[in-house]
Amino acid sequence: MGIFDVPVLLGHIRAGKLKALAVTSAKRTQALPDVPTTVEMSYPNVTSDNWYGLIVPPPRPLTSESASTPPR
């Protein structure tokens, strides 16, 4: 059992290799419309939408210039 991003496992779910029990988003996902949310499964405090971050190795400061320039 685990909690993963839907796009990462979507192929496995559609192939029947994994079973999606619920999604943690506030609404059902279009990619898996038959999979209930955690709220629907009686876990109202288990909600989360995915957040991704941008990381760089230190000491590279994040500026508008460095954000558009790949690291060397």
Side-chain angles (χ1 to χ4, degrees), residues 35-49:
V35 177
T37 68
T38 50
V39 172
E40 292 175 284
M41 298 292 293
S42 300
Y43 295 98
N45 296 323
V46 182
T47 58
S48 172
D49 288 318

Side-chain angles (χ1 to χ4, degrees), residues 6-30:
V6 170
V8 172
L9 298 179
L10 189 56
H12 297 290
I13 294 167
R14 288 185 173 159
K17 294 179 180 180
L18 295 173
K19 178 176 175 70
L21 301 177
V23 294
T24 61
S25 55
K27 296 180 180 178
R28 290 187 182 204
T29 177
Q30 290 180 346

